[in-house]
Amino acid sequence: MKIITKIEEIKNHIHRLKNENHIISFIPTMGNLHNGHLSLIKKSQSIVSKKIVSIFINPLQFNNTKDFDAYPRKIDKDIECLKTQNIDCLFLPDENILDDLPIIDTLPDGFTKILCGKYRPNHFIGVYKIVLRLFNIISPDYVFFGEKDYQQLLLIKFLIQKNKLNIKINECETIRDLNGLALSSRNNLLTQNQKKIASSIYKLMQEYTMKSNIKHQILSYFEDKIDKLIETEYCEVIETKDLYDIHGLDIIDSDINFKYRLFYAGYISGVRLIDNLSFN
Ligand code: AMP
């Protein structure tokens, strides 16, 4: 596995690969890799292609420097892990990647007025800028993103549509621990007991989505039942077609396997957790 830190060097490397007619699969991450990230890599193995993984903790998408500073960093362990994954190249850009960022002033309402877009001002503009910069450098044919960060997935679809990029996006289902807690790099900041408490979020989500005719009562349903150590930030059910609409996306049939999606965000001991679940 090559490790490349310089933008010119990765561009030359990609150029060589393309000249040799290789297909490029790209998996962007912020590191501290877990089985969720590895599931994206595994999914990419089904396509005959050169796999490029990037690790960059993007300061632009943190709306609070404390959160950025606390974000877990485990680069040596990540490199050892990736060496076992049949990766062609790990791109580890330095801060220079933040020069020459694409300019974008506004995003559709979904990315600023609901869910994480509402509670994390400028978060999605930050994600948009860095991902478009990475896509412009790597020119991938296939990219892999997790449903765990569902609004981010919608943002990447929007970015691809808006810039008319010839990139196929693969959506990967959320990987969870044995108790149902969605894997996240931030889980490293939790104790075993906090993780156990946090896993009640998924259990409640499942319970809620299995009941019908209660969609208007979601917040009180969660507030009544959720552990007192968890502070709910938002909790909403949105119809798939409305979700696409408000995020400025054209909906295609394959997007509507489920009529609704439940979104949850909350804090336990200052650590932010998000999850979502589709249902009919
Ligand atoms: P991150 O390193 O958190 O920026 O995540 C990099 C990619 O991994 C994103 O596409 C995430 O949606 C995806 N991802 C993170 N956690 C999970 C998970 N538990 N299951 C599946 N994909 C995930």
mmCIF file with all atom_site columns, all heavy atoms in Angstrom, residues 7 14-15 49 103 137 165 174 176 187 206 213 244 252:
data_model
loop_
_atom_site.group_PDB
_atom_site.id
_atom_site.type_symbol
_atom_site.label_atom_id
_atom_site.label_alt_id
_atom_site.label_comp_id
_atom_site.label_asym_id
_atom_site.label_entity_id
_atom_site.label_seq_id
_atom_site.pdbx_PDB_ins_code
_atom_site.Cartn_x
_atom_site.Cartn_y
_atom_site.Cartn_z
_atom_site.occupancy
_atom_site.B_iso_or_equiv
_atom_site.pdbx_formal_charge
_atom_site.auth_seq_id
_atom_site.auth_comp_id
_atom_site.auth_asym_id
_atom_site.auth_atom_id
_atom_site.pdbx_PDB_model_num
ATOM 1   N N   . ILE A 1 7   ? -0.431  16.493 -2.766  1.00 0.00 ? 7   ILE A N   1
ATOM 2   C CA  . ILE A 1 7   ? -1.511  16.524 -3.756  1.00 0.00 ? 7   ILE A CA  1
ATOM 3   C C   . ILE A 1 7   ? -0.986  16.217 -5.165  1.00 0.00 ? 7   ILE A C   1
ATOM 4   O O   . ILE A 1 7   ? -1.559  15.415 -5.904  1.00 0.00 ? 7   ILE A O   1
ATOM 5   C CB  . ILE A 1 7   ? -2.226  17.898 -3.714  1.00 0.00 ? 7   ILE A CB  1
ATOM 6   C CG1 . ILE A 1 7   ? -2.951  18.018 -2.365  1.00 0.00 ? 7   ILE A CG1 1
ATOM 7   C CG2 . ILE A 1 7   ? -3.220  18.060 -4.857  1.00 0.00 ? 7   ILE A CG2 1
ATOM 8   C CD1 . ILE A 1 7   ? -3.468  19.388 -2.031  1.00 0.00 ? 7   ILE A CD1 1
ATOM 9   N N   . ILE A 1 14  ? -2.742  8.885  -9.756  1.00 0.00 ? 14  ILE A N   1
ATOM 10  C CA  . ILE A 1 14  ? -4.073  8.607  -10.346 1.00 0.00 ? 14  ILE A CA  1
ATOM 11  C C   . ILE A 1 14  ? -3.961  8.657  -11.874 1.00 0.00 ? 14  ILE A C   1
ATOM 12  O O   . ILE A 1 14  ? -4.547  7.822  -12.582 1.00 0.00 ? 14  ILE A O   1
ATOM 13  C CB  . ILE A 1 14  ? -5.122  9.655  -9.867  1.00 0.00 ? 14  ILE A CB  1
ATOM 14  C CG1 . ILE A 1 14  ? -5.266  9.601  -8.351  1.00 0.00 ? 14  ILE A CG1 1
ATOM 15  C CG2 . ILE A 1 14  ? -6.454  9.494  -10.585 1.00 0.00 ? 14  ILE A CG2 1
ATOM 16  C CD1 . ILE A 1 14  ? -6.057  8.465  -7.778  1.00 0.00 ? 14  ILE A CD1 1
ATOM 17  N N   . HIS A 1 15  ? -3.215  9.631  -12.359 1.00 0.00 ? 15  HIS A N   1
ATOM 18  C CA  . HIS A 1 15  ? -3.037  9.785  -13.800 1.00 0.00 ? 15  HIS A CA  1
ATOM 19  C C   . HIS A 1 15  ? -2.456  8.498  -14.404 1.00 0.00 ? 15  HIS A C   1
ATOM 20  O O   . HIS A 1 15  ? -2.920  8.001  -15.424 1.00 0.00 ? 15  HIS A O   1
ATOM 21  C CB  . HIS A 1 15  ? -2.109  10.984 -14.035 1.00 0.00 ? 15  HIS A CB  1
ATOM 22  C CG  . HIS A 1 15  ? -2.036  11.398 -15.466 1.00 0.00 ? 15  HIS A CG  1
ATOM 23  N ND1 . HIS A 1 15  ? -3.102  11.965 -16.116 1.00 0.00 ? 15  HIS A ND1 1
ATOM 24  C CD2 . HIS A 1 15  ? -1.025  11.302 -16.378 1.00 0.00 ? 15  HIS A CD2 1
ATOM 25  C CE1 . HIS A 1 15  ? -2.758  12.202 -17.358 1.00 0.00 ? 15  HIS A CE1 1
ATOM 26  N NE2 . HIS A 1 15  ? -1.511  11.820 -17.551 1.00 0.00 ? 15  HIS A NE2 1
ATOM 27  N N   . SER A 1 49  ? -11.143 -2.777 -9.249  1.00 0.00 ? 49  SER A N   1
ATOM 28  C CA  . SER A 1 49  ? -10.695 -1.381 -9.271  1.00 0.00 ? 49  SER A CA  1
ATOM 29  C C   . SER A 1 49  ? -9.523  -1.188 -8.326  1.00 0.00 ? 49  SER A C   1
ATOM 30  O O   . SER A 1 49  ? -9.240  -2.052 -7.497  1.00 0.00 ? 49  SER A O   1
ATOM 31  C CB  . SER A 1 49  ? -11.846 -0.475 -8.815  1.00 0.00 ? 49  SER A CB  1
ATOM 32  O OG  . SER A 1 49  ? -12.267 -0.846 -7.514  1.00 0.00 ? 49  SER A OG  1
ATOM 33  N N   . ILE A 1 103 ? -15.653 27.089 -4.226  1.00 0.00 ? 103 ILE A N   1
ATOM 34  C CA  . ILE A 1 103 ? -16.490 28.121 -3.586  1.00 0.00 ? 103 ILE A CA  1
ATOM 35  C C   . ILE A 1 103 ? -17.939 27.668 -3.643  1.00 0.00 ? 103 ILE A C   1
ATOM 36  O O   . ILE A 1 103 ? -18.429 27.257 -4.691  1.00 0.00 ? 103 ILE A O   1
ATOM 37  C CB  . ILE A 1 103 ? -16.314 29.468 -4.312  1.00 0.00 ? 103 ILE A CB  1
ATOM 38  C CG1 . ILE A 1 103 ? -14.873 29.938 -4.080  1.00 0.00 ? 103 ILE A CG1 1
ATOM 39  C CG2 . ILE A 1 103 ? -17.319 30.512 -3.808  1.00 0.00 ? 103 ILE A CG2 1
ATOM 40  C CD1 . ILE A 1 103 ? -14.433 31.047 -4.981  1.00 0.00 ? 103 ILE A CD1 1
ATOM 41  N N   . ILE A 1 137 ? -9.420  15.892 -7.008  1.00 0.00 ? 137 ILE A N   1
ATOM 42  C CA  . ILE A 1 137 ? -8.041  15.389 -7.002  1.00 0.00 ? 137 ILE A CA  1
ATOM 43  C C   . ILE A 1 137 ? -8.004  13.917 -7.434  1.00 0.00 ? 137 ILE A C   1
ATOM 44  O O   . ILE A 1 137 ? -7.174  13.507 -8.244  1.00 0.00 ? 137 ILE A O   1
ATOM 45  C CB  . ILE A 1 137 ? -7.416  15.531 -5.588  1.00 0.00 ? 137 ILE A CB  1
ATOM 46  C CG1 . ILE A 1 137 ? -7.225  17.006 -5.245  1.00 0.00 ? 137 ILE A CG1 1
ATOM 47  C CG2 . ILE A 1 137 ? -6.090  14.785 -5.490  1.00 0.00 ? 137 ILE A CG2 1
ATOM 48  C CD1 . ILE A 1 137 ? -6.853  17.260 -3.783  1.00 0.00 ? 137 ILE A CD1 1
ATOM 49  N N   . LEU A 1 165 ? -20.994 15.266 -12.022 1.00 0.00 ? 165 LEU A N   1
ATOM 50  C CA  . LEU A 1 165 ? -19.805 14.409 -11.979 1.00 0.00 ? 165 LEU A CA  1
ATOM 51  C C   . LEU A 1 165 ? -20.184 13.002 -12.418 1.00 0.00 ? 165 LEU A C   1
ATOM 52  O O   . LEU A 1 165 ? -21.281 12.520 -12.111 1.00 0.00 ? 165 LEU A O   1
ATOM 53  C CB  . LEU A 1 165 ? -19.222 14.360 -10.560 1.00 0.00 ? 165 LEU A CB  1
ATOM 54  C CG  . LEU A 1 165 ? -18.813 15.705 -9.957  1.00 0.00 ? 165 LEU A CG  1
ATOM 55  C CD1 . LEU A 1 165 ? -18.315 15.528 -8.531  1.00 0.00 ? 165 LEU A CD1 1
ATOM 56  C CD2 . LEU A 1 165 ? -17.733 16.364 -10.814 1.00 0.00 ? 165 LEU A CD2 1
ATOM 57  N N   . THR A 1 174 ? -25.599 0.680  7.807   1.00 0.00 ? 174 THR A N   1
ATOM 58  C CA  . THR A 1 174 ? -24.949 1.011  9.091   1.00 0.00 ? 174 THR A CA  1
ATOM 59  C C   . THR A 1 174 ? -24.500 -0.250 9.820   1.00 0.00 ? 174 THR A C   1
ATOM 60  O O   . THR A 1 174 ? -25.284 -1.182 10.004  1.00 0.00 ? 174 THR A O   1
ATOM 61  C CB  . THR A 1 174 ? -25.931 1.808  9.971   1.00 0.00 ? 174 THR A CB  1
ATOM 62  O OG1 . THR A 1 174 ? -26.307 2.975  9.256   1.00 0.00 ? 174 THR A OG1 1
ATOM 63  C CG2 . THR A 1 174 ? -25.291 2.196  11.302  1.00 0.00 ? 174 THR A CG2 1
ATOM 64  N N   . ARG A 1 176 ? -23.255 -1.984 13.278  1.00 0.00 ? 176 ARG A N   1
ATOM 65  C CA  . ARG A 1 176 ? -23.536 -1.744 14.700  1.00 0.00 ? 176 ARG A CA  1
ATOM 66  C C   . ARG A 1 176 ? -22.750 -2.705 15.582  1.00 0.00 ? 176 ARG A C   1
ATOM 67  O O   . ARG A 1 176 ? -22.319 -3.756 15.098  1.00 0.00 ? 176 ARG A O   1
ATOM 68  C CB  . ARG A 1 176 ? -25.044 -1.956 14.964  1.00 0.00 ? 176 ARG A CB  1
ATOM 69  C CG  . ARG A 1 176 ? -25.894 -1.068 14.115  1.00 0.00 ? 176 ARG A CG  1
ATOM 70  C CD  . ARG A 1 176 ? -27.389 -1.334 14.220  1.00 0.00 ? 176 ARG A CD  1
ATOM 71  N NE  . ARG A 1 176 ? -28.055 -0.374 13.340  1.00 0.00 ? 176 ARG A NE  1
ATOM 72  C CZ  . ARG A 1 176 ? -28.261 0.893  13.658  1.00 0.00 ? 176 ARG A CZ  1
ATOM 73  N NH1 . ARG A 1 176 ? -27.918 1.316  14.851  1.00 0.00 ? 176 ARG A NH1 1
ATOM 74  N NH2 . ARG A 1 176 ? -28.821 1.735  12.805  1.00 0.00 ? 176 ARG A NH2 1
ATOM 75  N N   . ASN A 1 187 ? -17.350 6.850  19.398  1.00 0.00 ? 187 ASN A N   1
ATOM 76  C CA  . ASN A 1 187 ? -17.662 5.893  20.478  1.00 0.00 ? 187 ASN A CA  1
ATOM 77  C C   . ASN A 1 187 ? -16.438 5.622  21.340  1.00 0.00 ? 187 ASN A C   1
ATOM 78  O O   . ASN A 1 187 ? -16.565 5.222  22.496  1.00 0.00 ? 187 ASN A O   1
ATOM 79  C CB  . ASN A 1 187 ? -18.181 4.562  19.913  1.00 0.00 ? 187 ASN A CB  1
ATOM 80  C CG  . ASN A 1 187 ? -19.514 4.729  19.214  1.00 0.00 ? 187 ASN A CG  1
ATOM 81  O OD1 . ASN A 1 187 ? -20.069 5.823  19.194  1.00 0.00 ? 187 ASN A OD1 1
ATOM 82  N ND2 . ASN A 1 187 ? -20.021 3.649  18.625  1.00 0.00 ? 187 ASN A ND2 1
ATOM 83  N N   . GLN A 1 206 ? -36.003 1.138  16.934  1.00 0.00 ? 206 GLN A N   1
ATOM 84  C CA  . GLN A 1 206 ? -36.643 -0.074 16.393  1.00 0.00 ? 206 GLN A CA  1
ATOM 85  C C   . GLN A 1 206 ? -38.062 -0.213 16.920  1.00 0.00 ? 206 GLN A C   1
ATOM 86  O O   . GLN A 1 206 ? -39.001 -0.473 16.180  1.00 0.00 ? 206 GLN A O   1
ATOM 87  C CB  . GLN A 1 206 ? -35.848 -1.306 16.807  1.00 0.00 ? 206 GLN A CB  1
ATOM 88  C CG  . GLN A 1 206 ? -34.609 -1.537 15.977  1.00 0.00 ? 206 GLN A CG  1
ATOM 89  C CD  . GLN A 1 206 ? -33.914 -2.797 16.440  1.00 0.00 ? 206 GLN A CD  1
ATOM 90  O OE1 . GLN A 1 206 ? -33.649 -2.966 17.626  1.00 0.00 ? 206 GLN A OE1 1
ATOM 91  N NE2 . GLN A 1 206 ? -33.636 -3.681 15.517  1.00 0.00 ? 206 GLN A NE2 1
ATOM 92  N N   . ASN A 1 213 ? -49.162 4.455  13.455  1.00 0.00 ? 213 ASN A N   1
ATOM 93  C CA  . ASN A 1 213 ? -50.061 5.533  13.918  1.00 0.00 ? 213 ASN A CA  1
ATOM 94  C C   . ASN A 1 213 ? -49.518 6.378  15.069  1.00 0.00 ? 213 ASN A C   1
ATOM 95  O O   . ASN A 1 213 ? -50.277 6.946  15.822  1.00 0.00 ? 213 ASN A O   1
ATOM 96  C CB  . ASN A 1 213 ? -51.419 4.955  14.357  1.00 0.00 ? 213 ASN A CB  1
ATOM 97  C CG  . ASN A 1 213 ? -52.062 4.210  13.226  1.00 0.00 ? 213 ASN A CG  1
ATOM 98  O OD1 . ASN A 1 213 ? -51.904 4.600  12.078  1.00 0.00 ? 213 ASN A OD1 1
ATOM 99  N ND2 . ASN A 1 213 ? -52.748 3.140  13.539  1.00 0.00 ? 213 ASN A ND2 1
ATOM 100 N N   . TYR A 1 244 ? -36.012 14.033 0.040   1.00 0.00 ? 244 TYR A N   1
ATOM 101 C CA  . TYR A 1 244 ? -35.321 14.326 -1.214  1.00 0.00 ? 244 TYR A CA  1
ATOM 102 C C   . TYR A 1 244 ? -35.635 15.735 -1.688  1.00 0.00 ? 244 TYR A C   1
ATOM 103 O O   . TYR A 1 244 ? -34.757 16.459 -2.151  1.00 0.00 ? 244 TYR A O   1
ATOM 104 C CB  . TYR A 1 244 ? -35.659 13.265 -2.271  1.00 0.00 ? 244 TYR A CB  1
ATOM 105 C CG  . TYR A 1 244 ? -34.709 12.094 -2.175  1.00 0.00 ? 244 TYR A CG  1
ATOM 106 C CD1 . TYR A 1 244 ? -34.739 11.252 -1.069  1.00 0.00 ? 244 TYR A CD1 1
ATOM 107 C CD2 . TYR A 1 244 ? -33.740 11.878 -3.151  1.00 0.00 ? 244 TYR A CD2 1
ATOM 108 C CE1 . TYR A 1 244 ? -33.846 10.209 -0.945  1.00 0.00 ? 244 TYR A CE1 1
ATOM 109 C CE2 . TYR A 1 244 ? -32.839 10.838 -3.035  1.00 0.00 ? 244 TYR A CE2 1
ATOM 110 C CZ  . TYR A 1 244 ? -32.894 10.005 -1.936  1.00 0.00 ? 244 TYR A CZ  1
ATOM 111 O OH  . TYR A 1 244 ? -31.985 8.991  -1.818  1.00 0.00 ? 244 TYR A OH  1
ATOM 112 N N   . ILE A 1 252 ? -35.385 9.024  -7.454  1.00 0.00 ? 252 ILE A N   1
ATOM 113 C CA  . ILE A 1 252 ? -35.571 7.941  -8.426  1.00 0.00 ? 252 ILE A CA  1
ATOM 114 C C   . ILE A 1 252 ? -36.104 6.725  -7.669  1.00 0.00 ? 252 ILE A C   1
ATOM 115 O O   . ILE A 1 252 ? -35.962 6.623  -6.461  1.00 0.00 ? 252 ILE A O   1
ATOM 116 C CB  . ILE A 1 252 ? -34.256 7.595  -9.167  1.00 0.00 ? 252 ILE A CB  1
ATOM 117 C CG1 . ILE A 1 252 ? -33.104 7.423  -8.179  1.00 0.00 ? 252 ILE A CG1 1
ATOM 118 C CG2 . ILE A 1 252 ? -33.915 8.617  -10.202 1.00 0.00 ? 252 ILE A CG2 1
ATOM 119 C CD1 . ILE A 1 252 ? -31.881 6.794  -8.777  1.00 0.00 ? 252 ILE A CD1 1
#
